Amino acid sequence: AMRRLERNQREQRRSNQISQQIDGLRQVLCEAGIAVKASKSSILTGTAHYIRALQTKQVQLEEERDRMVTEMRQLEVQSLLRQHQRKAAAASDHPDDGQRRGQHDHQRRAPRQQQQQVQVRGEDHHE
C-alpha cells in the first residue's frame, strides 16, 4: 500500500510538471500572437506549427542575408575598380611623370593590382 501511494505521488508530480510545461508553451504562443485552445493537444499542435513557421522564416532570412552579402561584395569590387580607374586617369593626366617612368610604372602597379585582388578574395572568406 505504501509503495502504491509513493508511485501515485510520483505520477501526480510528473503529471503536474508536464501540465506546467504545456501551460508555458501556451504562454509562448499567446505572446507570439497565436491563439490556441486550452487543450494540451491543441497547444502541442500549435507549438509544432509555430516551430515550423520559425524554421521557414529562418531559411528565408539566411537566403536574404546571403543575397545581401553577395551584393555587398560585388559593390566592393566595383568600388575598387573605380578607385583603380581614377588612379589610372590621374596618372595619365601627368604625361611628364609617365614618360620618365615609362614601363617601370606599369611594373610597379601590377603587384598592387594583384594585392587588391587577393584582398577581395580574402574578404570572401571572412563572414
Side-chain angles (χ1 to χ4, degrees), residues 38-126:
S39 75
K40 292 177 182 180
S41 176
S42 294
I43 294 168
L44 292 174
T45 300
T47 301
H49 286 299
Y50 184 52
I51 290 170
R52 285 190 202 100
L54 290 174
Q55 289 171 330
T56 299
K57 185 67 174 178
Q58 179 185 4
V59 169
Q60 292 170 346
L61 290 172
E62 286 173 354
E63 289 171 353
E64 181 180 356
R65 177 197 169 276
D66 290 345
R67 282 192 301 274
M68 293 173 81
V69 166
T70 298
E71 183 179 347
M72 184 182 71
R73 287 184 179 146
Q74 289 171 347
L75 291 171
E76 288 172 348
V77 169
Q78 291 172 2
S79 175
L80 286 172
L81 288 173
R82 281 194 296 273
Q83 287 175 10
H84 177 69
Q85 289 168 349
R86 281 195 292 269
K87 287 179 184 177
S92 68
D93 289 343
H94 300 80
D96 294 339
D97 293 343
Q99 288 174 351
R100 271 185 286 173
R101 284 187 256 168
Q103 274 197 332
H104 296 292
D105 182 50
H106 174 72
Q107 291 170 348
R108 274 186 243 144
R109 272 194 247 152
R112 271 188 258 143
Q113 290 173 347
Q114 290 171 351
Q115 287 174 352
Q116 286 176 342
Q117 290 171 355
V118 168
Q119 182 181 8
V120 171
R121 286 190 194 118
E123 289 174 5
D124 287 349
H125 300 290
H126 299 290

Side-chain angles (χ1 to χ4, degrees), residues 8-21:
N8 288 346
Q9 287 175 341
R10 277 195 308 272
E11 178 58 27
Q12 187 64 42
R13 280 193 303 269
R14 188 186 69 78
S15 179
N16 287 339
Q17 192 176 31
I18 290 171
S19 292
Q20 288 174 356
Q21 291 169 337

